[in-house]
Amino acid sequence: GKWKNKERVLIFSSRGINFRTRHLMQDLRTLMPHSKADTKMDRKDQLAVINEVCEMKNCNKCIFFEAKKKQDLYMWLSNIPQGPSAKFLVQNVHTLAELKMTGNCLRGSRPLLSFDPIFDKEPHYALLKELFIQVFSTPQYHPKSQPFVDHVFTFTVTDERIWFRNYQIIEEDASLVEIGPRFVLNLIKIFQGSFGGPTLYENPHYQSPNMHRRLLRLSVAAKLREKQQVKEVQKIKKTGSKVLIGEDPTEVVFKTPAEEKPVEIQLVKPEVKPIVKDKKKLRKIQRKKQKKLFRTEA
Protein backbone atom coordinates (compact mmCIF):
# COMPACT_ATOMS: atom_id res chain seq x y z
CA GLY A 1 0.00 0.00 0.00
CA LYS A 2 0.88 3.66 -0.33
CA TRP A 3 1.61 6.01 2.53
CA LYS A 4 -1.24 8.52 2.14
CA ASN A 5 -1.88 9.86 5.66
CA LYS A 6 1.31 11.89 6.17
CA GLU A 7 0.78 13.01 9.76
CA ARG A 8 3.97 14.12 11.49
CA VAL A 9 4.08 15.03 15.18
CA LEU A 10 6.74 17.28 16.68
CA ILE A 11 7.50 16.34 20.32
CA PHE A 12 9.71 18.74 22.26
CA SER A 13 9.73 20.87 25.41
CA SER A 14 10.78 24.11 27.01
CA ARG A 15 13.86 24.58 29.14
CA GLY A 16 13.68 23.72 32.83
CA ILE A 17 12.07 20.27 32.65
CA ASN A 18 13.13 17.54 35.05
CA PHE A 19 14.48 14.07 34.26
CA ARG A 20 11.04 12.41 34.46
CA THR A 21 9.58 14.66 31.75
CA ARG A 22 12.62 14.04 29.57
CA HIS A 23 12.15 10.27 29.87
CA LEU A 24 8.41 10.63 29.17
CA MET A 25 9.18 12.53 25.96
CA GLN A 26 11.62 9.83 24.90
CA ASP A 27 9.02 7.10 25.61
CA LEU A 28 6.42 8.87 23.45
CA ARG A 29 8.93 9.23 20.63
CA THR A 30 9.70 5.49 20.70
CA LEU A 31 5.98 4.59 20.75
CA MET A 32 5.14 6.99 17.91
CA PRO A 33 7.28 6.31 14.82
CA HIS A 34 5.71 9.28 13.00
CA SER A 35 7.14 11.73 15.57
CA LYS A 36 10.08 14.12 15.28
CA ALA A 37 12.31 15.78 17.85
CA ASP A 38 13.70 19.28 18.23
CA THR A 39 15.88 21.26 20.63
CA LYS A 40 14.39 22.80 23.75
CA MET A 41 12.66 26.13 23.38
CA ASP A 42 13.67 29.14 25.46
CA ARG A 43 11.19 30.24 28.11
CA LYS A 44 11.25 33.87 26.93
CA ASP A 45 9.99 32.92 23.46
CA GLN A 46 6.27 33.18 22.79
CA LEU A 47 4.24 30.06 22.05
CA ALA A 48 3.35 31.33 18.58
CA VAL A 49 6.96 30.60 17.55
CA ILE A 50 6.14 26.86 17.75
CA ASN A 51 4.00 27.16 14.60
CA GLU A 52 7.06 28.34 12.64
CA VAL A 53 9.21 25.55 14.13
CA CYS A 54 6.62 22.94 13.06
CA GLU A 55 6.55 24.36 9.53
CA MET A 56 10.35 24.16 9.35
CA LYS A 57 10.22 20.53 10.54
CA ASN A 58 7.37 19.76 8.10
CA CYS A 59 5.04 18.71 10.98
CA ASN A 60 1.29 19.33 11.14
CA LYS A 61 0.76 18.20 14.78
CA CYS A 62 2.63 19.14 17.95
CA ILE A 63 3.05 17.89 21.53
CA PHE A 64 4.76 20.58 23.57
CA PHE A 65 5.77 20.14 27.24
CA GLU A 66 5.97 23.37 29.22
CA ALA A 67 7.65 23.42 32.65
CA LYS A 68 6.98 26.07 35.29
CA LYS A 69 8.59 26.57 38.71
CA LYS A 70 10.60 23.34 38.17
CA GLN A 71 7.67 21.32 39.55
CA ASP A 72 4.57 21.95 37.41
CA LEU A 73 4.30 20.32 33.97
CA TYR A 74 1.86 21.42 31.26
CA MET A 75 1.24 19.71 27.90
CA TRP A 76 -0.04 21.34 24.72
CA LEU A 77 -1.68 19.36 21.92
CA SER A 78 -2.11 21.40 18.78
CA ASN A 79 -3.12 21.12 15.14
CA ILE A 80 -0.74 23.25 13.06
CA PRO A 81 -1.42 25.93 11.82
CA GLN A 82 -5.21 26.51 12.04
CA GLY A 83 -5.89 24.81 15.39
CA PRO A 84 -7.58 23.83 17.62
CA SER A 85 -5.21 23.37 20.56
CA ALA A 86 -5.67 22.08 24.11
CA LYS A 87 -3.69 22.76 27.26
CA PHE A 88 -3.41 20.12 30.01
CA LEU A 89 -1.82 19.84 33.43
CA VAL A 90 0.19 16.59 33.53
CA GLN A 91 0.05 14.68 36.83
CA ASN A 92 1.20 11.29 38.17
CA VAL A 93 3.84 10.68 35.51
CA HIS A 94 5.41 7.19 35.40
CA THR A 95 7.85 6.31 32.63
CA LEU A 96 8.76 2.97 31.02
CA ALA A 97 12.02 2.60 32.93
CA GLU A 98 10.38 3.52 36.23
CA LEU A 99 7.39 1.16 36.03
CA LYS A 100 9.24 -2.05 35.02
CA MET A 101 6.03 -3.61 33.69
CA THR A 102 5.96 -7.16 32.33
CA GLY A 103 4.35 -6.15 29.01
CA ASN A 104 6.27 -5.53 25.81
CA CYS A 105 5.48 -4.53 22.23
CA LEU A 106 7.26 -4.36 18.90
CA ARG A 107 9.07 -1.10 18.24
CA GLY A 108 7.21 0.92 15.62
CA SER A 109 4.03 -1.16 15.69
CA ARG A 110 0.66 0.55 15.18
CA PRO A 111 -1.54 0.95 18.29
CA LEU A 112 -5.28 0.61 18.77
CA LEU A 113 -6.95 3.63 20.40
CA SER A 114 -9.58 2.89 23.04
CA PHE A 115 -11.78 5.72 24.36
CA ASP A 116 -14.21 6.01 27.24
CA PRO A 117 -17.93 6.21 26.20
CA ILE A 118 -18.10 9.73 27.68
CA PHE A 119 -15.97 10.98 24.74
CA ASP A 120 -19.04 10.58 22.48
CA LYS A 121 -21.49 12.28 24.83
CA GLU A 122 -20.02 15.74 25.51
CA PRO A 123 -18.83 18.11 22.74
CA HIS A 124 -15.50 19.16 24.27
CA TYR A 125 -14.57 15.50 24.83
CA ALA A 126 -15.55 14.71 21.22
CA LEU A 127 -13.16 17.43 20.03
CA LEU A 128 -10.38 16.03 22.23
CA LYS A 129 -11.07 12.53 20.90
CA GLU A 130 -10.53 13.65 17.31
CA LEU A 131 -7.34 15.47 18.37
CA PHE A 132 -6.03 12.36 20.17
CA ILE A 133 -6.80 10.17 17.13
CA GLN A 134 -4.88 12.45 14.78
CA VAL A 135 -1.89 12.82 17.13
CA PHE A 136 -1.41 9.34 18.65
CA SER A 137 -2.49 7.02 15.82
CA THR A 138 0.37 5.85 13.59
CA PRO A 139 -0.45 6.37 9.87
CA GLN A 140 -0.88 3.22 7.81
CA TYR A 141 2.11 2.18 5.66
CA HIS A 142 4.40 4.67 7.42
CA PRO A 143 8.04 3.92 6.44
CA LYS A 144 9.18 3.59 10.09
CA SER A 145 6.14 1.62 11.29
CA GLN A 146 5.62 -2.15 11.40
CA PRO A 147 2.53 -3.89 9.92
CA PHE A 148 1.43 -5.24 13.32
CA VAL A 149 -1.13 -4.18 15.94
CA ASP A 150 0.03 -5.48 19.30
CA HIS A 151 -0.73 -2.74 21.85
CA VAL A 152 -3.57 -0.41 22.89
CA PHE A 153 -3.63 3.24 23.97
CA THR A 154 -6.54 3.76 26.40
CA PHE A 155 -8.03 7.15 27.29
CA THR A 156 -10.33 6.93 30.32
CA VAL A 157 -12.20 9.81 31.99
CA THR A 158 -12.31 9.53 35.78
CA ASP A 159 -12.59 12.32 38.35
CA GLU A 160 -12.81 14.95 35.56
CA ARG A 161 -9.37 13.88 34.31
CA ILE A 162 -8.12 11.85 31.33
CA TRP A 163 -6.05 8.80 32.30
CA PHE A 164 -3.61 7.52 29.66
CA ARG A 165 -2.49 3.86 29.74
CA ASN A 166 -0.62 1.62 27.29
CA TYR A 167 -1.37 -2.15 27.23
CA GLN A 168 0.08 -5.08 25.30
CA ILE A 169 -2.33 -7.46 23.53
CA ILE A 170 -1.30 -11.07 24.24
CA GLU A 171 -1.96 -13.31 21.23
CA GLU A 172 -2.95 -16.49 23.11
CA ASP A 173 -5.99 -15.26 25.03
CA ALA A 174 -6.21 -11.59 23.91
CA SER A 175 -5.62 -10.41 27.49
CA LEU A 176 -4.00 -7.06 28.29
CA VAL A 177 -0.72 -6.44 30.14
CA GLU A 178 0.38 -2.91 30.92
CA ILE A 179 3.56 -1.64 29.29
CA GLY A 180 3.73 2.06 30.19
CA PRO A 181 4.20 4.95 30.29
CA ARG A 182 1.23 6.26 32.26
CA PHE A 183 0.11 9.79 33.10
CA VAL A 184 -3.01 11.81 33.92
CA LEU A 185 -4.16 14.84 31.90
CA ASN A 186 -6.16 17.54 33.67
CA LEU A 187 -7.81 19.69 31.00
CA ILE A 188 -7.41 23.46 31.46
CA LYS A 189 -8.61 25.11 28.22
CA ILE A 190 -9.36 24.40 24.57
CA PHE A 191 -8.41 27.20 22.15
CA GLN A 192 -9.70 27.78 18.64
CA GLY A 193 -6.30 28.63 17.20
CA SER A 194 -2.91 26.97 17.44
CA PHE A 195 -1.32 27.88 20.82
CA GLY A 196 -3.79 30.72 21.35
CA GLY A 197 -6.93 32.35 20.03
CA PRO A 198 -10.49 32.45 21.38
CA THR A 199 -11.32 30.02 24.19
CA LEU A 200 -13.72 27.28 23.12
CA TYR A 201 -13.96 25.53 26.49
CA GLU A 202 -12.65 26.17 30.02
CA ASN A 203 -12.70 23.45 32.65
CA PRO A 204 -14.71 24.65 35.70
CA HIS A 205 -13.30 21.83 37.88
CA TYR A 206 -9.66 22.80 37.27
CA GLN A 207 -7.64 24.03 40.23
CA SER A 208 -4.19 25.48 39.60
CA PRO A 209 -1.19 23.93 41.42
CA ASN A 210 -0.45 27.29 43.10
CA MET A 211 -3.97 27.42 44.56
CA HIS A 212 -3.73 23.78 45.67
CA ARG A 213 -0.44 24.43 47.49
CA ARG A 214 -1.89 27.61 49.04
CA LEU A 215 -4.91 25.72 50.41
CA LEU A 216 -2.59 23.08 51.90
CA ARG A 217 -0.55 25.78 53.64
CA LEU A 218 -3.71 27.44 54.96
CA SER A 219 -5.02 24.14 56.35
CA VAL A 220 -1.71 23.48 58.15
CA ALA A 221 -1.71 27.04 59.53
CA ALA A 222 -5.31 26.65 60.75
CA LYS A 223 -4.40 23.44 62.62
CA LEU A 224 -1.44 25.16 64.34
CA ARG A 225 -3.63 28.16 65.24
CA GLU A 226 -6.22 25.85 66.76
CA LYS A 227 -3.57 24.11 68.88
CA GLN A 228 -2.30 27.47 70.18
CA GLN A 229 -5.82 28.56 71.12
CA VAL A 230 -6.36 25.31 73.06
CA LYS A 231 -3.08 25.88 74.95
CA GLU A 232 -4.06 29.46 75.81
CA VAL A 233 -7.45 28.33 77.13
CA GLN A 234 -5.74 25.72 79.32
CA LYS A 235 -3.36 28.37 80.73
CA ILE A 236 -6.26 30.68 81.54
CA LYS A 237 -8.03 27.85 83.35
CA LYS A 238 -4.93 27.05 85.44
CA THR A 239 -4.05 30.65 86.38
CA GLY A 240 -7.65 31.80 86.86
CA SER A 241 -8.98 32.62 90.38
CA LYS A 242 -10.58 29.68 92.09
CA VAL A 243 -14.25 29.98 93.07
CA LEU A 244 -14.65 30.29 96.84
CA ILE A 245 -17.29 27.99 98.26
CA GLY A 246 -19.18 29.21 101.30
CA GLU A 247 -18.84 27.38 104.62
CA ASP A 248 -21.30 24.64 105.26
CA PRO A 249 -22.73 24.82 108.83
CA THR A 250 -23.44 21.10 108.88
CA GLU A 251 -19.72 20.19 108.64
CA VAL A 252 -19.08 21.15 112.29
CA VAL A 253 -21.91 19.00 113.68
CA PHE A 254 -19.93 15.80 114.20
CA LYS A 255 -16.67 17.47 115.36
CA THR A 256 -15.83 16.93 119.07
CA PRO A 257 -13.79 19.77 120.62
CA ALA A 258 -10.43 18.73 122.12
CA GLU A 259 -9.77 19.17 125.86
CA GLU A 260 -8.03 22.42 126.62
CA LYS A 261 -4.82 21.99 128.63
CA PRO A 262 -3.85 24.62 131.22
CA VAL A 263 -1.03 26.86 130.14
CA GLU A 264 2.02 26.54 132.50
CA ILE A 265 4.22 29.59 132.91
CA GLN A 266 7.77 28.81 134.08
CA LEU A 267 9.02 31.55 136.44
CA VAL A 268 12.39 30.02 137.46
CA LYS A 269 15.31 29.91 135.04
CA PRO A 270 16.16 26.31 134.09
CA GLU A 271 19.43 24.90 135.40
CA VAL A 272 22.34 24.65 132.99
CA LYS A 273 23.30 21.09 132.33
CA PRO A 274 26.99 20.31 132.88
CA ILE A 275 28.94 19.55 129.72
CA VAL A 276 30.26 15.99 129.96
CA LYS A 277 33.34 15.46 127.84
CA ASP A 278 34.02 12.21 126.15
CA LYS A 279 36.59 10.26 128.16
CA LYS A 280 37.71 8.22 125.18
CA LYS A 281 38.68 11.35 123.27
CA LEU A 282 40.81 12.56 126.22
CA ARG A 283 42.66 9.26 126.31
CA LYS A 284 43.37 9.42 122.55
CA ILE A 285 44.75 12.94 122.85
CA GLN A 286 47.03 11.90 125.72
CA ARG A 287 48.35 8.93 123.72
CA LYS A 288 49.17 11.17 120.73
CA LYS A 289 51.06 13.58 122.99
CA GLN A 290 53.06 10.72 124.53
CA LYS A 291 53.99 9.40 121.05
CA LYS A 292 55.20 12.87 119.99
CA LEU A 293 57.37 13.18 123.13
CA PHE A 294 58.81 9.74 122.55
CA ARG A 295 59.76 10.63 118.95
CA THR A 296 61.40 13.90 119.94
CA GLU A 297 63.43 12.19 122.63
CA ALA A 298 64.54 9.46 120.27
Side-chain angles (χ1 to χ4, degrees):
K2 291 184 179 180
W3 175 34
K4 295 180 181 179
N5 180 17
K6 297 193 176 182
E7 295 279 352
R8 297 181 184 90
V9 183
L10 182 65
I11 302 175
F12 72 118
S13 69
S14 65
R15 295 192 182 277
I17 62 171
N18 54 10
F19 69 97
R20 187 167 289 165
T21 309
R22 189 170 64 251
H23 285 288
L24 177 63
M25 271 198 312
Q26 193 60 38
D27 293 343
L28 289 177
R29 285 170 187 163
T30 55
L31 290 171
M32 299 163 63
H34 61 293
S35 64
K36 288 187 177 182
D38 194 28
T39 56
K40 294 178 183 177
M41 195 180 77
D42 197 3
R43 292 185 199 172
K44 296 179 182 178
D45 295 339
Q46 295 182 356
L47 294 175
V49 181
I50 301 173
N51 296 325
E52 299 177 5
V53 176
C54 291
E55 287 180 6
M56 290 169 61
K57 289 283 183 179
N58 197 17
C59 296
N60 51 3
K61 297 289 184 296
C62 181
I63 299 177
F64 177 68
F65 291 95
E66 186 180 6
K68 290 184 179 180
K69 294 188 176 182
K70 296 184 179 180
Q71 54 184 344
D72 302 330
L73 179 64
Y74 298 91
M75 186 173 79
W76 286 82
L77 287 179
S78 178
N79 182 25
I80 308 294
Q82 285 91 13
S85 59
K87 186 180 180 181
F88 302 92
L89 174 68
V90 185
Q91 299 171 325
N92 301 333
V93 177
H94 298 281
T95 58
L96 277 169
E98 185 184 355
L99 285 175
K100 296 180 181 177
M101 292 292 183
T102 56
N104 195 7
C105 66
L106 187 66
R107 185 184 177 92
S109 61
R110 300 179 65 227
L112 291 175
L113 298 183
S114 172
F115 291 93
D116 197 277
I118 199 171
F119 278 94
D120 299 324
K121 295 177 182 178
E122 298 187 17
H124 62 281
Y125 280 129
L127 179 61
L128 289 178
K129 179 182 177 181
E130 185 62 32
L131 192 61
F132 287 146
I133 289 171
Q134 294 182 16
V135 171
F136 287 97
S137 62
T138 304
Q140 194 175 11
Y141 304 117
H142 191 276
K144 292 183 180 179
S145 67
Q146 301 291 337
F148 301 105
V149 178
D150 60 352
H151 62 112
V152 186
F153 289 163
T154 62
F155 298 89
T156 311
V157 178
T158 307
D159 194 20
E160 304 295 335
R161 291 171 174 82
I162 301 170
W163 300 64
F164 175 85
R165 295 289 185 270
N166 181 21
Y167 295 98
Q168 176 199 358
I169 304 171
I170 298 174
E171 296 179 0
E172 288 78 12
D173 53 353
S175 61
L176 299 178
V177 180
E178 188 173 356
I179 304 171
R182 57 161 69 168
F183 51 87
V184 179
L185 299 175
N186 191 358
L187 178 63
I188 302 173
K189 283 183 181 181
I190 300 175
F191 300 95
Q192 185 176 353
S194 176
F195 294 98
T199 304
L200 298 177
Y201 176 78
E202 186 174 357
N203 187 7
H205 305 285
Y206 171 71
Q207 186 183 62
S208 65
N210 291 332
M211 181 61 68
H212 180 67
R213 287 190 286 266
R214 181 172 176 272
L215 292 175
L216 287 176
R217 288 196 298 270
L218 288 175
S219 64
V220 172
K223 286 181 181 178
L224 290 174
R225 205 179 299 115
E226 188 178 353
K227 285 183 180 179
Q228 289 178 354
Q229 289 176 357
V230 170
K231 286 181 181 179
E232 288 176 0
V233 170
Q234 289 176 352
K235 282 183 182 179
I236 291 169
K237 285 182 179 179
K238 287 180 181 178
T239 56
S241 59
K242 295 180 180 179
V243 181
L244 296 175
I245 301 170
E247 292 183 358
D248 190 4
T250 58
E251 289 182 356
V252 198
V253 174
F254 298 102
K255 283 186 178 180
T256 54
E259 294 180 359
E260 294 182 358
K261 294 181 180 180
V263 180
E264 294 181 356
I265 299 169
Q266 194 172 1
L267 300 174
V268 184
K269 185 179 178 182
E271 295 180 358
V272 180
K273 294 181 179 179
I275 300 168
V276 181
K277 294 183 177 180
D278 193 1
K279 293 180 180 180
K280 291 183 180 180
K281 285 185 178 180
L282 290 173
R283 289 174 186 171
K284 287 180 182 178
I285 293 166
Q286 287 176 1
R287 285 176 188 170
K288 285 181 181 179
K289 287 180 179 179
Q290 286 177 0
K291 286 180 181 178
K292 283 183 180 179
L293 290 170
F294 180 73
R295 286 175 185 170
T296 51
E297 288 175 1

